[in-house]
């Protein structure tokens, strides 16, 4: 393995100081596995507990800081991320494998999120004053910070997801212990390094890197952690939920999706194909909002499949930093093996293979895979389980009612999209899709940062993330009565 030049050793950030870990780990470039992106410090449970203690000690200070101070800190972080978006995007592309334009876009998004919550810090009270039902009594409803929040994040959006948890947590006066996925430690460290220079009181923000089972679990178990926000797999989310429930900690989970994109007979077919390509395959399909079930009305089924197949053949799978790459590598060898196993299982259960689904060789050794398309039936595993790779299936629907029934027949409920030129159908779908987010003539992936994000059923648990709704999770409501 060759060492890369960009990254200094990524260390833990605990109580305002950079600290070595108990052991260390390496993160590698999925486009070229010879390249080490960073060597990072790995914490154990006791080091995680030090960070939690530091956050608890810092809470009284930060929770009483003025809205102006919080706004200034968040604005400074957002400005630096935006100014350095190219550099951060490059790091992200090298470590996670998103194409460079996608990665720079994500870095910019992280900056915009901090800027948004700088504004929210000024509006944090959300106070309401009401007349009481009793004479001469006034009632007010105010929001207060929770305390220490533990933030556990996945690898697929290594800057944006941490940003949309850290920024509202700080804006609302909480102190933070942040644990990124080990696969993207350099991105977690880079974000922490920017935050470390933003004049927060020592201990208000802490970074601990290491295994989920040890460091993540320490956050879940600690009685000093008042709330946990988690994004990741359903299996780990269940563990987090059970652990948090045992000690009645507040918890918010964002997990998987199996998002439907309906294509009706009246749709603009070129636009529908575009939505399918972007939604299912861009970011290598590694998005909880990926359009992995393409539900197509019978009259346009064959034309849609033919056009989609043609588009997929024209996509370039390659090194994330190479100009013209449409689809970067899969994040690591474990996820690639999982994707290939899902493709093999789809063949075994009789789904009709249209194209793709093979591991690819490129000039550098990486986790490359061709975009896969199958024709499937709703009961098949490929149509029911999240794969989290560049794999989608087309499901034939007799009519709109049938398409809607297939769309809702899933344990998940994150996002659902429809391509149609009928306003009546679009409005009906928006009302009847059992999800947290709907899209009309748009891919299911690709959301704004100033509005709620989240879903129903097995996809999400607890209050929504992002936008003004983030206050629901990151604050506690207090009702005050005053007799005048
Ligand atoms: O997720 P994990 P992984 C799905 C996707 C993917 C699969 C596995 O299908 O193939 O999950 O990915 C931490 N207590 N998604 O292994 O294990 C862990 O260290 C506390 C969908 O990366 O859920 C990491 O920081 N924390 C998803 C985070 O949890 C624990 C995005 C997520 O890891 C822990 C990512 C524990 N016991 C994966 N064990 C989406 N829908 O966006 C692990 N962690």
């Amino acid at each position: 393995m060759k060492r890369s030049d960009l990254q200094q050793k990524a260390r833990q950030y605990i109580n305002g100081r950079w600290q070595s870990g108990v052991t260390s780990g390496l993160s590698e470039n999925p486009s070229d596995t010879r390249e080490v992106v960073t060597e990072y410090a790995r914490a154990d449970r006791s080091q995680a507990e030090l960070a939690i203690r530091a956050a608890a000690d810092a809470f009284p200070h930060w929770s009483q800081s003025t809205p102006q101070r919080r706004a200034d800190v968040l604005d400074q972080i957002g400005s630096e991320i935006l100014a350095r978006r190219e550099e951060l995007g490059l790091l992200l592309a090298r470590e996670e494998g998103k194409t460079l334009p996608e990665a720079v876009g994500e870095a910019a998004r992280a900056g915009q999120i901090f800027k948004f919550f700088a504004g929210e810090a000024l509006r944090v009270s959300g106070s309401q004053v009401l007349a009481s039902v009793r004479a001469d009594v006034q009632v007010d409803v105010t929001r207060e910070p929770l305390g220490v929040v533990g933030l556990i994040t996945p690898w697929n959006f290594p800057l944006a997801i941490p940003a949309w948890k850290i920024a509202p947590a700080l804006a609302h006066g909480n102190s933070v212990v942040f644990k990124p996925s080990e696969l993207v430690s350099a991105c977690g460290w880079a974000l922490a390094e920017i935050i470390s220079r933003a004049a927060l009181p020592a201990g208000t923000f802490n970074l601990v890197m290491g295994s989920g089972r040890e460091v993540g679990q320490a956050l879940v178990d600690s009685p000093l952690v008042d709330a946990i926000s988690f994004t990741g797999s359903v299996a780990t989310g269940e563990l987090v939920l059970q652990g948090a429930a045992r000690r009645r900690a507040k918890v918010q989970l964002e997990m998987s999706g199996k998002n439907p994109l309906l294509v009706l007979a009246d749709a603009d077919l070129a636009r529908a194909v575009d939505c399918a390509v972007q939604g299912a395959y861009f970011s290598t399909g590694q998005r909880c909002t990926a359009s992995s079930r393409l539900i197509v009305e019978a009259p346009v089924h064959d034309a849609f499949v033919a056009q989609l197949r043609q588009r997929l053949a024209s996509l370039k799978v390659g090194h994330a930093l190479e100009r013209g790459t449409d689809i970067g590598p899969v994040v690591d060898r474990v996820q690639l093996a999982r994707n290939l196993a899902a493709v093999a299982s789809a063949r075994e259960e009789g789904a009709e293979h249209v194209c793709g689904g093979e591991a690819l060789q490129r000039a550098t050794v990486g986790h490359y895979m061709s975009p896969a398309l199958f024709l499937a039936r709703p009961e098949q595993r490929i149509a029911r389980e999240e794969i989290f790779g560049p794999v989608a299936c087309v499901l034939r629907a007799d009519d709109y009612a049938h398409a809607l029934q297939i769309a809702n027949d899933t344990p998940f409920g994150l996002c659902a999209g429809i391509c149609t030129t009928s306003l009546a159908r679009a409005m009906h779908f928006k009302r009847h899709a059992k999800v947290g987010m709907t899209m009309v003539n748009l891919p299911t992936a690709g959301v704004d940062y100033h509005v709620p994000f989240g879903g129903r059923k097995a996809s999400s648990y607890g209050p929504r993330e992002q936008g003004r709704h983030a206050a629901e999770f990151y604050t506690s409501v207090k009702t005050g009565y005053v007799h005048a």
Side-chain angles (χ1 to χ4, degrees):
M1 276 194 174
K2 69 182 181 213
R3 297 264 151 168
S4 102
D5 44 349
L6 192 139
Q7 204 60 44
Q8 51 176 291
K9 191 169 169 178
R11 293 192 290 163
Q12 320 283 350
Y13 187 65
I14 299 174
N15 203 17
R17 287 200 307 276
W18 292 102
Q19 301 189 14
S20 304
V22 176
T23 56
S24 65
L26 301 175
S27 77
E28 68 176 28
N29 182 344
S31 298
D32 179 353
T33 57
R34 292 168 310 165
E35 186 193 353
V36 175
V37 178
T38 194
E39 182 180 348
Y40 64 93
R42 299 180 86 235
D44 64 0
R45 181 175 269 269
S46 63
Q47 206 170 22
E49 283 165 357
L50 284 179
I52 295 167
R53 165 60 65 191
D57 291 345
F59 176 67
H61 192 178
W62 182 245
S63 60
Q64 284 161 36
S65 59
T66 62
Q68 186 63 58
R69 177 154 183 216
R70 293 184 207 165
D72 289 345
V73 163
L74 293 169
D75 191 59
Q76 181 187 328
I77 297 167
S79 296
E80 180 167 344
I81 295 172
L82 283 170
R84 292 173 54 194
R85 69 178 80 174
E86 302 286 336
E87 178 201 349
L88 291 165
L90 179 63
L91 178 65
L92 197 166
R94 284 175 51 228
E95 192 173 49
E96 195 266 352
K98 278 197 176 77
T99 66
L100 192 55
E102 287 172 336
V104 172
E106 181 180 337
R109 171 58 59 99
Q112 288 156 346
I113 290 168
F114 274 95
K115 292 278 198 184
F116 174 82
F117 282 104
E120 282 301 280
L122 296 170
R123 292 182 283 268
V124 87
S125 68
S127 292
Q128 262 185 308
V129 179
L130 298 93
S132 168
V133 293
R134 287 170 281 173
D136 301 326
V137 173
Q138 195 182 56
V139 190
D140 60 48
V141 182
T142 51
R143 288 189 180 277
E144 293 186 352
L146 295 173
V148 177
V149 297
L151 307 178
I152 303 173
T153 58
W155 46 262
N156 61 326
F157 284 92
L159 293 176
I161 293 179
W164 81 51
K165 295 184 193 293
I166 295 167
L170 294 176
H172 291 290
N174 302 286
S175 50
V176 167
V177 182
F178 164 44
K179 189 225 128 8
S181 161
E182 286 187 90
L183 292 182
V184 288
S185 297
C187 287
W189 173 85
L191 191 56
E193 201 277 325
I194 292 171
I195 296 170
S196 76
R197 286 183 284 98
L200 284 162
T204 305
F205 170 83
N206 303 272
L207 166 74
V208 278
M209 296 173 286
S211 86
R213 241 179 286 163
E214 201 164 351
V215 176
Q217 198 65 46
L219 288 172
V220 173
D221 293 340
S222 172
L224 295 178
V225 176
D226 298 282
I228 296 157
S229 179
F230 165 88
T231 301
S233 63
V234 172
T236 306
E238 286 287 335
L239 288 177
V240 171
L241 178 60
Q242 284 165 19
R246 264 198 296 277
R247 57 181 190 81
R248 297 184 188 82
K250 195 168 182 181
V251 65
Q252 171 184 61
L253 310 173
E254 287 302 338
M255 299 170 288
S256 301
K258 194 73 188 175
N259 309 286
L261 177 71
L262 275 61
V263 179
L264 301 193
D266 63 13
D268 172 339
L269 216 52
R271 176 181 281 206
V273 170
D274 220 46
C275 287
V277 170
Q278 284 192 37
Y281 300 102
F282 284 7
S283 298
T284 322
Q286 298 173 151
R287 296 187 284 194
C288 49
T289 49
S291 317
S292 48
R293 290 187 299 146
L294 308 167
I295 304 169
V296 185
E297 245 190 305
V300 290
H301 177 277
D302 293 357
F304 174 83
V305 172
Q307 288 185 33
L308 181 55
R309 177 189 199 157
Q310 206 174 12
R311 277 289 298 283
L312 293 183
S314 73
L315 295 179
K316 188 177 158 210
V317 178
H319 197 296
L321 303 185
E322 229 166 72
R323 194 182 289 272
T325 295
D326 296 300
I327 299 179
V330 172
V331 72
D332 72 349
R333 73 185 75 247
V334 175
Q335 187 66 47
L336 178 61
R338 218 175 267 163
N339 296 351
L340 296 175
V343 166
S345 141
R347 286 175 184 271
E348 275 161 30
E349 66 180 343
E352 191 180 325
H353 179 244
V354 178
C355 60
E358 292 108 29
L360 299 174
Q361 310 289 321
R362 291 292 179 261
T364 50
V365 176
H367 311 299
Y368 299 105
M369 175 179 176
S370 54
L373 184 66
F374 282 87
L375 308 184
R377 293 191 305 277
E379 69 277 11
Q380 291 175 326
R381 282 179 64 194
I382 188 173
R384 305 202 70 79
E385 296 174 8
E386 183 182 61
I387 296 170
F388 222 59
V391 183
C393 62
V394 174
L395 303 160
R396 183 191 291 266
D398 300 335
D399 51 26
Y400 166 66
H402 186 210
L404 180 62
Q405 180 257 316
I406 298 171
N408 284 332
D409 177 20
T410 168
F412 300 110
L414 188 56
C415 190
I418 188 168
C419 292
T420 180
T421 49
S422 158
L423 181 61
R425 286 275 155 80
M427 296 308 286
H428 186 276
F429 180 75
K430 275 162 59 70
R431 281 195 303 274
H432 294 278
K434 295 191 174 78
V435 291
M437 299 176 288
T438 59
M439 303 279 179
V440 176
N441 295 322
L442 287 166
T444 54
V447 295
D448 287 4
Y449 60 88
H450 63 306
V451 288
F453 177 93
R456 300 184 190 176
K457 303 200 268 182
S459 290
S460 306
Y461 181 87
R464 293 282 190 272
E465 299 201 81
Q466 303 206 57
R468 304 217 68 191
H469 271 72
E472 297 296 326
F473 180 72
Y474 290 101
T475 64
S476 180
V477 165
K478 184 179 272 177
T479 313
Y481 296 87
V482 178
H483 186 256

